[in-house]
mmCIF file of all heavy atoms in Angstrom:
data_model
loop_
_atom_site.group_PDB
_atom_site.id
_atom_site.type_symbol
_atom_site.label_atom_id
_atom_site.label_comp_id
_atom_site.label_asym_id
_atom_site.label_seq_id
_atom_site.Cartn_x
_atom_site.Cartn_y
_atom_site.Cartn_z
ATOM 1 N N LEU G 11 98.839 83.231 93.321
ATOM 2 C CA LEU G 11 97.394 83.346 93.262
ATOM 3 C C LEU G 11 96.747 81.991 93.508
ATOM 4 O O LEU G 11 97.039 81.020 92.820
ATOM 5 C CB LEU G 11 96.981 83.897 91.894
ATOM 6 C CG LEU G 11 95.491 84.206 91.694
ATOM 7 C CD1 LEU G 11 95.044 85.291 92.661
ATOM 8 C CD2 LEU G 11 95.233 84.629 90.257
ATOM 9 N N LYS G 59 128.244 53.534 97.085
ATOM 10 C CA LYS G 59 128.800 53.095 95.807
ATOM 11 C C LYS G 59 127.690 52.569 94.904
ATOM 12 O O LYS G 59 126.794 51.860 95.348
ATOM 13 C CB LYS G 59 129.844 52.001 96.023
ATOM 14 C CG LYS G 59 130.549 51.572 94.743
ATOM 15 C CD LYS G 59 131.600 50.510 95.024
ATOM 16 C CE LYS G 59 132.274 50.055 93.736
ATOM 17 N NZ LYS G 59 133.289 48.997 93.987
ATOM 18 N N LEU G 181 116.779 75.487 60.100
ATOM 19 C CA LEU G 181 117.157 76.805 60.611
ATOM 20 C C LEU G 181 117.760 77.694 59.527
ATOM 21 O O LEU G 181 118.178 78.818 59.804
ATOM 22 C CB LEU G 181 118.135 76.648 61.779
ATOM 23 C CG LEU G 181 117.539 75.895 62.988
ATOM 24 C CD1 LEU G 181 118.606 75.706 64.065
ATOM 25 C CD2 LEU G 181 116.334 76.630 63.544
ATOM 26 N N ASP G 197 99.991 74.140 77.988
ATOM 27 C CA ASP G 197 98.988 75.192 78.061
ATOM 28 C C ASP G 197 97.654 74.726 78.650
ATOM 29 O O ASP G 197 96.742 75.527 78.843
ATOM 30 C CB ASP G 197 98.744 75.815 76.683
ATOM 31 C CG ASP G 197 98.445 74.774 75.607
ATOM 32 O OD1 ASP G 197 98.169 73.612 75.962
ATOM 33 O OD2 ASP G 197 98.490 75.125 74.416
ATOM 34 N N VAL G 207 114.769 74.148 71.898
ATOM 35 C CA VAL G 207 115.520 75.405 71.940
ATOM 36 C C VAL G 207 116.314 75.499 70.645
ATOM 37 O O VAL G 207 117.181 74.659 70.367
ATOM 38 C CB VAL G 207 116.462 75.479 73.148
ATOM 39 C CG1 VAL G 207 117.321 76.752 73.075
ATOM 40 C CG2 VAL G 207 115.684 75.471 74.457
ATOM 41 N N GLU G 220 102.579 72.649 68.784
ATOM 42 C CA GLU G 220 101.441 71.773 69.007
ATOM 43 C C GLU G 220 101.374 70.803 67.832
ATOM 44 O O GLU G 220 101.588 71.196 66.682
ATOM 45 C CB GLU G 220 100.156 72.602 69.098
ATOM 46 C CG GLU G 220 98.947 71.826 69.583
ATOM 47 C CD GLU G 220 97.775 72.764 69.849
ATOM 48 O OE1 GLU G 220 97.091 73.159 68.885
ATOM 49 O OE2 GLU G 220 97.559 73.132 71.025
ATOM 50 N N VAL G 227 102.770 72.729 64.682
ATOM 51 C CA VAL G 227 102.271 74.097 64.555
ATOM 52 C C VAL G 227 102.889 74.945 65.667
ATOM 53 O O VAL G 227 102.680 74.665 66.856
ATOM 54 C CB VAL G 227 100.730 74.131 64.650
ATOM 55 C CG1 VAL G 227 100.223 75.571 64.510
ATOM 56 C CG2 VAL G 227 100.108 73.223 63.601
ATOM 57 N N LYS G 229 103.367 77.502 68.418
ATOM 58 C CA LYS G 229 102.426 78.183 69.303
ATOM 59 C C LYS G 229 103.052 79.382 70.015
ATOM 60 O O LYS G 229 102.373 80.358 70.317
ATOM 61 C CB LYS G 229 101.912 77.197 70.358
ATOM 62 C CG LYS G 229 101.140 76.014 69.803
ATOM 63 C CD LYS G 229 99.750 76.412 69.350
ATOM 64 C CE LYS G 229 98.866 76.754 70.529
ATOM 65 N NZ LYS G 229 97.492 77.062 70.102
ATOM 66 N N HIS G 238 122.316 73.241 76.285
ATOM 67 C CA HIS G 238 123.459 72.476 75.787
ATOM 68 C C HIS G 238 124.710 73.340 75.785
ATOM 69 O O HIS G 238 124.645 74.547 75.573
ATOM 70 C CB HIS G 238 123.201 71.987 74.356
ATOM 71 C CG HIS G 238 124.265 71.097 73.819
ATOM 72 N ND1 HIS G 238 125.224 71.555 72.928
ATOM 73 C CD2 HIS G 238 124.551 69.794 74.048
ATOM 74 C CE1 HIS G 238 126.033 70.554 72.625
ATOM 75 N NE2 HIS G 238 125.653 69.480 73.286
ATOM 76 N N LYS G 269 123.350 79.823 84.560
ATOM 77 C CA LYS G 269 123.358 79.834 86.023
ATOM 78 C C LYS G 269 121.949 79.860 86.608
ATOM 79 O O LYS G 269 121.733 79.381 87.729
ATOM 80 C CB LYS G 269 124.134 81.053 86.547
ATOM 81 C CG LYS G 269 125.624 81.010 86.295
ATOM 82 C CD LYS G 269 126.299 82.230 86.903
ATOM 83 C CE LYS G 269 127.807 82.178 86.701
ATOM 84 N NZ LYS G 269 128.484 83.361 87.298
ATOM 85 N N LYS G 308 108.294 66.870 94.629
ATOM 86 C CA LYS G 308 109.399 66.555 93.725
ATOM 87 C C LYS G 308 110.586 67.480 93.951
ATOM 88 O O LYS G 308 110.420 68.656 94.279
ATOM 89 C CB LYS G 308 108.918 66.654 92.274
ATOM 90 C CG LYS G 308 107.805 65.668 91.945
ATOM 91 C CD LYS G 308 107.209 65.936 90.577
ATOM 92 C CE LYS G 308 106.043 64.999 90.301
ATOM 93 N NZ LYS G 308 105.370 65.295 89.028
ATOM 94 N N TYR G 312 120.515 68.660 90.070
ATOM 95 C CA TYR G 312 121.518 68.940 89.040
ATOM 96 C C TYR G 312 122.869 69.192 89.695
ATOM 97 O O TYR G 312 122.965 69.312 90.930
ATOM 98 C CB TYR G 312 121.108 70.147 88.185
ATOM 99 C CG TYR G 312 120.774 71.401 88.978
ATOM 100 C CD1 TYR G 312 121.730 72.391 89.195
ATOM 101 C CD2 TYR G 312 119.502 71.595 89.502
ATOM 102 C CE1 TYR G 312 121.433 73.543 89.920
ATOM 103 C CE2 TYR G 312 119.186 72.743 90.227
ATOM 104 C CZ TYR G 312 120.148 73.706 90.432
ATOM 105 O OH TYR G 312 119.849 74.831 91.158
#
Side-chain angles (χ1 to χ4, degrees):
L11 185 62
K59 185 179 178 181
L181 298 176
D197 52 14
V207 175
E220 191 171 80
V227 180
K229 298 285 290 183
H238 185 258
K269 291 182 178 180
K308 298 171 183 176
Y312 53 95

